[in-house]
Amino acid sequence: MKKSFLITIILAVSAILAACGGGEETVKVGISGTDTSTWDFVAEKAAEEGINIEIISFNDYVQPNTALADGELDINSFQTVAYFDEFIEERDLDLAPIATTYLAPMGLYSDSLGNPEEIPDGGKIALPNDVSNQGRALMLLEAAGLLTLVENYDGLGSISEAVVENPKDLELVATSPAQIPRALGDVDAGVINNGIARDAGFNPIEDSIHHEDETAVDYVNIIASRSEDTDDETLQRIAELFQEEDTKQFILEEHEGSLIPAFLPLEEIGW
């Protein structure tokens, strides 16, 4: 009888332990590229609450969204609001943002000038020749006080269609994005996106003569899920962990200011 009772107790304890172990929830997060540092930091915090974050890296900007839509991921974190909005409309995907993360600021750089006001009349500015980055670059130049764009500019269309005032008669030179850092010696300034600038050894905050800030809401990065899961408690908790003050400080220190934490209400990004 005692032996039977002991076995019953052991089995009961084992069942409880198994249930506790099985209580850990795994959330698959899709990113683009190999830098997992910030998500590793968030994952450590989540693990303390029984949430196991599995980070899955992709080498393009298409698969993280299609994999999310197909149910292979629970959330992804790699894209700007502008890219996301255009992508899900074009592909008719039922995805939605659940939180904002940071801004990877595009900057205006110069080998010889200290601020945008020093760019001379008739000066040359190199800007990306791809549609999405070129539109973003034009908005940066407008924010720097160098151009005026058509009202409610959506980042699309040719330079001639977008620019309505160019008081310095600047020559805007469409250039392959990867070539702009090397072209700075041949122009007065160049607009370089964050990743290319960092690869070229620039700090987008310290080395640019003008850069985007949190007001560039279309280019803030987001965490996205399937629309049906936006209110999921676990996913919402992960979003909260990402937006905590210690994560903010980690981003600033780890990336030396080249990424700007931007924890905005979804209403501010049009959702």
Short mmCIF file of all heavy atoms in Angstrom, two decimals, residues 144-190:
data_model
loop_
_atom_site.label_atom_id
_atom_site.label_comp_id
_atom_site.label_asym_id
_atom_site.label_seq_id
_atom_site.Cartn_x
_atom_site.Cartn_y
_atom_site.Cartn_z
N ALA A 144 15.40 69.52 -44.31
CA ALA A 144 16.63 70.29 -44.10
C ALA A 144 16.51 71.71 -44.64
O ALA A 144 17.45 72.49 -44.53
CB ALA A 144 17.81 69.58 -44.77
N GLY A 145 15.36 72.04 -45.25
CA GLY A 145 15.13 73.38 -45.75
C GLY A 145 15.69 73.66 -47.12
O GLY A 145 15.80 74.81 -47.53
N LEU A 146 16.03 72.60 -47.86
CA LEU A 146 16.67 72.79 -49.16
C LEU A 146 15.69 72.73 -50.33
O LEU A 146 15.96 73.30 -51.39
CB LEU A 146 17.75 71.72 -49.36
CG LEU A 146 18.92 71.78 -48.36
CD1 LEU A 146 19.80 70.55 -48.50
CD2 LEU A 146 19.73 73.06 -48.59
N LEU A 147 14.56 72.05 -50.15
CA LEU A 147 13.57 71.89 -51.22
C LEU A 147 12.17 72.05 -50.65
O LEU A 147 11.97 71.94 -49.44
CB LEU A 147 13.67 70.48 -51.84
CG LEU A 147 14.99 70.01 -52.45
CD1 LEU A 147 14.85 68.53 -52.85
CD2 LEU A 147 15.35 70.85 -53.68
N THR A 148 11.22 72.27 -51.55
CA THR A 148 9.80 72.17 -51.20
C THR A 148 9.18 71.15 -52.14
O THR A 148 9.38 71.22 -53.37
CB THR A 148 9.08 73.52 -51.35
OG1 THR A 148 9.69 74.48 -50.49
CG2 THR A 148 7.60 73.38 -50.97
N LEU A 149 8.45 70.20 -51.57
CA LEU A 149 7.84 69.13 -52.36
C LEU A 149 6.34 69.39 -52.54
O LEU A 149 5.76 70.22 -51.83
CB LEU A 149 8.06 67.78 -51.67
CG LEU A 149 9.51 67.41 -51.34
CD1 LEU A 149 9.55 66.06 -50.63
CD2 LEU A 149 10.37 67.40 -52.60
N VAL A 150 5.74 68.68 -53.46
CA VAL A 150 4.30 68.81 -53.67
C VAL A 150 3.57 68.49 -52.36
O VAL A 150 4.05 67.72 -51.53
CB VAL A 150 3.80 67.87 -54.79
CG1 VAL A 150 4.38 68.26 -56.13
CG2 VAL A 150 4.12 66.42 -54.46
N GLU A 151 2.42 69.09 -52.19
CA GLU A 151 1.65 68.88 -50.97
C GLU A 151 1.25 67.42 -50.85
O GLU A 151 0.89 66.77 -51.83
CB GLU A 151 0.40 69.77 -51.01
CG GLU A 151 -0.35 69.81 -49.70
CD GLU A 151 -1.49 70.81 -49.71
OE1 GLU A 151 -1.64 71.53 -50.72
OE2 GLU A 151 -2.22 70.86 -48.72
N ASN A 152 1.33 66.90 -49.62
CA ASN A 152 0.98 65.51 -49.33
C ASN A 152 1.81 64.52 -50.15
O ASN A 152 1.30 63.50 -50.62
CB ASN A 152 -0.52 65.26 -49.57
CG ASN A 152 -1.39 66.11 -48.67
OD1 ASN A 152 -1.08 66.29 -47.49
ND2 ASN A 152 -2.46 66.64 -49.23
N TYR A 153 3.07 64.83 -50.31
CA TYR A 153 3.97 63.95 -51.08
C TYR A 153 4.01 62.56 -50.45
O TYR A 153 4.17 62.42 -49.24
CB TYR A 153 5.37 64.56 -51.10
CG TYR A 153 6.41 63.72 -51.83
CD1 TYR A 153 6.22 63.35 -53.15
CD2 TYR A 153 7.57 63.31 -51.18
CE1 TYR A 153 7.16 62.59 -53.83
CE2 TYR A 153 8.53 62.56 -51.84
CZ TYR A 153 8.31 62.20 -53.16
OH TYR A 153 9.25 61.45 -53.82
N ASP A 154 3.84 61.54 -51.29
CA ASP A 154 3.76 60.17 -50.78
C ASP A 154 5.04 59.37 -50.97
O ASP A 154 5.07 58.16 -50.75
CB ASP A 154 2.60 59.42 -51.44
CG ASP A 154 2.75 59.31 -52.96
OD1 ASP A 154 3.78 59.77 -53.50
OD2 ASP A 154 1.83 58.77 -53.60
N GLY A 155 6.12 60.05 -51.37
CA GLY A 155 7.40 59.35 -51.54
C GLY A 155 7.56 58.68 -52.88
O GLY A 155 8.58 58.04 -53.13
N LEU A 156 6.58 58.84 -53.76
CA LEU A 156 6.64 58.21 -55.08
C LEU A 156 6.72 59.27 -56.18
O LEU A 156 6.54 60.45 -55.92
CB LEU A 156 5.41 57.31 -55.29
CG LEU A 156 5.19 56.22 -54.22
CD1 LEU A 156 3.88 55.50 -54.47
CD2 LEU A 156 6.35 55.24 -54.21
N GLY A 157 6.98 58.82 -57.38
CA GLY A 157 7.07 59.74 -58.51
C GLY A 157 8.48 60.22 -58.75
O GLY A 157 9.37 60.09 -57.90
N SER A 158 8.69 60.81 -59.90
CA SER A 158 10.03 61.28 -60.29
C SER A 158 10.40 62.55 -59.53
O SER A 158 9.55 63.20 -58.92
CB SER A 158 10.06 61.57 -61.79
OG SER A 158 9.20 62.65 -62.11
N ILE A 159 11.69 62.90 -59.59
CA ILE A 159 12.17 64.11 -58.93
C ILE A 159 11.44 65.33 -59.48
O ILE A 159 11.00 66.21 -58.73
CB ILE A 159 13.69 64.25 -59.11
CG1 ILE A 159 14.42 63.13 -58.34
CG2 ILE A 159 14.17 65.62 -58.64
CD1 ILE A 159 15.92 63.10 -58.57
N SER A 160 11.28 65.39 -60.80
CA SER A 160 10.64 66.55 -61.41
C SER A 160 9.18 66.67 -60.99
O SER A 160 8.64 67.79 -60.89
CB SER A 160 10.74 66.47 -62.94
OG SER A 160 10.10 65.28 -63.41
N GLU A 161 8.53 65.54 -60.73
CA GLU A 161 7.14 65.57 -60.28
C GLU A 161 7.02 65.95 -58.81
O GLU A 161 6.02 66.53 -58.39
CB GLU A 161 6.49 64.20 -60.51
CG GLU A 161 6.32 63.81 -61.96
CD GLU A 161 5.88 62.36 -62.12
OE1 GLU A 161 6.23 61.52 -61.26
OE2 GLU A 161 5.20 62.07 -63.12
N ALA A 162 8.04 65.61 -58.04
CA ALA A 162 7.97 65.81 -56.59
C ALA A 162 8.37 67.22 -56.16
O ALA A 162 7.78 67.78 -55.24
CB ALA A 162 8.87 64.79 -55.90
N VAL A 163 9.38 67.79 -56.79
CA VAL A 163 9.95 69.06 -56.34
C VAL A 163 9.21 70.24 -56.98
O VAL A 163 9.14 70.34 -58.21
CB VAL A 163 11.45 69.12 -56.68
CG1 VAL A 163 12.03 70.47 -56.25
CG2 VAL A 163 12.21 67.98 -56.01
N VAL A 164 8.68 71.11 -56.14
CA VAL A 164 8.00 72.31 -56.67
C VAL A 164 8.84 73.57 -56.45
O VAL A 164 8.65 74.57 -57.15
CB VAL A 164 6.60 72.48 -56.04
CG1 VAL A 164 5.69 71.35 -56.45
CG2 VAL A 164 6.68 72.56 -54.52
N GLU A 165 9.75 73.55 -55.48
CA GLU A 165 10.64 74.70 -55.27
C GLU A 165 12.05 74.20 -54.98
O GLU A 165 12.24 73.31 -54.15
CB GLU A 165 10.16 75.57 -54.10
CG GLU A 165 8.87 76.31 -54.38
CD GLU A 165 8.47 77.23 -53.22
OE1 GLU A 165 9.38 77.61 -52.45
OE2 GLU A 165 7.29 77.54 -53.10
N ASN A 166 13.02 74.78 -55.68
CA ASN A 166 14.43 74.44 -55.51
C ASN A 166 15.21 75.75 -55.52
O ASN A 166 15.86 76.10 -56.50
CB ASN A 166 14.87 73.52 -56.66
CG ASN A 166 16.32 73.05 -56.54
OD1 ASN A 166 17.04 73.44 -55.62
ND2 ASN A 166 16.76 72.25 -57.49
N PRO A 167 15.09 76.53 -54.43
CA PRO A 167 15.62 77.90 -54.42
C PRO A 167 17.11 78.03 -54.68
O PRO A 167 17.56 79.06 -55.18
CB PRO A 167 15.25 78.41 -53.01
CG PRO A 167 15.03 77.18 -52.20
CD PRO A 167 14.48 76.16 -53.14
N LYS A 168 17.88 77.01 -54.38
CA LYS A 168 19.32 77.06 -54.63
C LYS A 168 19.69 76.46 -55.98
O LYS A 168 20.88 76.36 -56.31
CB LYS A 168 20.09 76.34 -53.52
CG LYS A 168 20.11 77.09 -52.19
CD LYS A 168 21.12 76.47 -51.23
CE LYS A 168 21.27 77.32 -49.98
NZ LYS A 168 22.38 76.84 -49.11
N ASP A 169 18.67 76.07 -56.74
CA ASP A 169 18.90 75.43 -58.04
C ASP A 169 19.90 74.27 -57.90
O ASP A 169 20.86 74.14 -58.67
CB ASP A 169 19.42 76.45 -59.06
CG ASP A 169 19.35 75.94 -60.49
OD1 ASP A 169 18.49 75.07 -60.76
OD2 ASP A 169 20.16 76.38 -61.32
N LEU A 170 19.65 73.44 -56.91
CA LEU A 170 20.53 72.30 -56.64
C LEU A 170 20.41 71.26 -57.74
O LEU A 170 19.33 71.01 -58.27
CB LEU A 170 20.17 71.67 -55.30
CG LEU A 170 20.30 72.57 -54.07
CD1 LEU A 170 19.73 71.89 -52.85
CD2 LEU A 170 21.76 72.98 -53.83
N GLU A 171 21.53 70.64 -58.07
CA GLU A 171 21.52 69.54 -59.02
C GLU A 171 21.41 68.23 -58.23
O GLU A 171 22.30 67.90 -57.45
CB GLU A 171 22.80 69.54 -59.85
CG GLU A 171 22.84 68.43 -60.90
CD GLU A 171 24.11 68.40 -61.72
OE1 GLU A 171 24.90 69.38 -61.64
OE2 GLU A 171 24.34 67.40 -62.44
N LEU A 172 20.30 67.53 -58.42
CA LEU A 172 20.06 66.28 -57.69
C LEU A 172 20.50 65.13 -58.56
O LEU A 172 19.92 64.86 -59.62
CB LEU A 172 18.57 66.17 -57.33
CG LEU A 172 18.01 67.36 -56.54
CD1 LEU A 172 16.53 67.17 -56.28
CD2 LEU A 172 18.77 67.56 -55.23
N VAL A 173 21.55 64.45 -58.13
CA VAL A 173 22.20 63.42 -58.93
C VAL A 173 21.78 62.03 -58.44
O VAL A 173 22.20 61.59 -57.36
CB VAL A 173 23.74 63.56 -58.86
CG1 VAL A 173 24.40 62.54 -59.79
CG2 VAL A 173 24.17 64.98 -59.19
N ALA A 174 20.93 61.36 -59.21
CA ALA A 174 20.49 60.01 -58.83
C ALA A 174 21.66 59.05 -58.96
O ALA A 174 22.29 58.95 -60.03
CB ALA A 174 19.33 59.58 -59.72
N THR A 175 21.95 58.34 -57.88
CA THR A 175 23.16 57.52 -57.79
C THR A 175 22.82 56.19 -57.13
O THR A 175 21.95 56.13 -56.26
CB THR A 175 24.23 58.25 -56.94
OG1 THR A 175 24.44 59.57 -57.45
CG2 THR A 175 25.55 57.50 -56.94
N SER A 176 23.51 55.14 -57.54
CA SER A 176 23.34 53.85 -56.86
C SER A 176 23.63 54.03 -55.37
O SER A 176 24.67 54.60 -55.01
CB SER A 176 24.30 52.82 -57.45
OG SER A 176 24.29 51.63 -56.69
N PRO A 177 22.73 53.61 -54.49
CA PRO A 177 22.90 53.88 -53.06
C PRO A 177 24.26 53.47 -52.49
O PRO A 177 24.86 54.21 -51.71
CB PRO A 177 21.77 53.06 -52.42
CG PRO A 177 20.72 52.99 -53.47
CD PRO A 177 21.46 52.90 -54.78
N ALA A 178 24.76 52.31 -52.91
CA ALA A 178 26.03 51.82 -52.38
C ALA A 178 27.22 52.67 -52.83
O ALA A 178 28.29 52.62 -52.21
CB ALA A 178 26.24 50.37 -52.78
N GLN A 179 27.04 53.45 -53.91
CA GLN A 179 28.13 54.25 -54.44
C GLN A 179 28.22 55.64 -53.82
O GLN A 179 29.24 56.33 -53.97
CB GLN A 179 27.97 54.41 -55.97
CG GLN A 179 28.00 53.10 -56.74
CD GLN A 179 29.31 52.36 -56.57
OE1 GLN A 179 30.38 52.97 -56.58
NE2 GLN A 179 29.23 51.05 -56.41
N ILE A 180 27.17 56.06 -53.12
CA ILE A 180 27.14 57.44 -52.63
C ILE A 180 28.27 57.76 -51.64
O ILE A 180 28.87 58.84 -51.74
CB ILE A 180 25.76 57.78 -52.05
CG1 ILE A 180 24.70 57.70 -53.16
CG2 ILE A 180 25.74 59.18 -51.43
CD1 ILE A 180 23.28 57.94 -52.71
N PRO A 181 28.61 56.88 -50.69
CA PRO A 181 29.74 57.23 -49.80
C PRO A 181 31.02 57.54 -50.56
O PRO A 181 31.75 58.48 -50.21
CB PRO A 181 29.90 55.98 -48.93
CG PRO A 181 28.53 55.38 -48.90
CD PRO A 181 27.98 55.61 -50.28
N ARG A 182 31.28 56.78 -51.63
CA ARG A 182 32.50 57.01 -52.40
C ARG A 182 32.38 58.23 -53.31
O ARG A 182 33.39 58.75 -53.79
CB ARG A 182 32.83 55.76 -53.23
CG ARG A 182 33.28 54.58 -52.39
CD ARG A 182 33.83 53.45 -53.25
NE ARG A 182 32.78 52.74 -53.95
CZ ARG A 182 32.08 51.73 -53.45
NH1 ARG A 182 32.34 51.31 -52.21
NH2 ARG A 182 31.14 51.14 -54.15
N ALA A 183 31.14 58.68 -53.55
CA ALA A 183 30.93 59.82 -54.45
C ALA A 183 30.97 61.16 -53.72
O ALA A 183 30.89 62.22 -54.36
CB ALA A 183 29.59 59.67 -55.16
N LEU A 184 31.12 61.15 -52.39
CA LEU A 184 31.05 62.40 -51.64
C LEU A 184 32.13 63.41 -52.05
O LEU A 184 31.91 64.62 -51.94
CB LEU A 184 31.15 62.12 -50.13
CG LEU A 184 29.94 61.44 -49.49
CD1 LEU A 184 30.19 61.21 -48.00
CD2 LEU A 184 28.68 62.27 -49.69
N GLY A 185 33.26 62.92 -52.53
CA GLY A 185 34.30 63.83 -52.97
C GLY A 185 33.96 64.55 -54.26
O GLY A 185 34.59 65.57 -54.60
N ASP A 186 32.95 64.08 -54.99
CA ASP A 186 32.58 64.67 -56.28
C ASP A 186 31.32 65.51 -56.21
O ASP A 186 30.91 66.11 -57.21
CB ASP A 186 32.37 63.56 -57.32
CG ASP A 186 33.62 62.71 -57.52
OD1 ASP A 186 34.73 63.30 -57.54
OD2 ASP A 186 33.49 61.48 -57.62
N VAL A 187 30.68 65.55 -55.04
CA VAL A 187 29.45 66.33 -54.87
C VAL A 187 29.58 67.15 -53.59
O VAL A 187 30.51 66.97 -52.81
CB VAL A 187 28.21 65.40 -54.78
CG1 VAL A 187 27.98 64.67 -56.09
CG2 VAL A 187 28.34 64.42 -53.62
N ASP A 188 28.64 68.07 -53.39
CA ASP A 188 28.67 68.87 -52.17
C ASP A 188 28.12 68.10 -50.98
O ASP A 188 28.54 68.32 -49.83
CB ASP A 188 27.86 70.16 -52.39
CG ASP A 188 28.50 71.04 -53.44
OD1 ASP A 188 29.53 71.67 -53.13
OD2 ASP A 188 27.98 71.08 -54.57
N ALA A 189 27.18 67.20 -51.26
CA ALA A 189 26.60 66.39 -50.19
C ALA A 189 25.93 65.18 -50.80
O ALA A 189 25.66 65.14 -52.01
CB ALA A 189 25.60 67.20 -49.36
N GLY A 190 25.65 64.19 -49.97
CA GLY A 190 24.97 62.99 -50.45
C GLY A 190 24.04 62.44 -49.38
O GLY A 190 24.35 62.50 -48.18
#
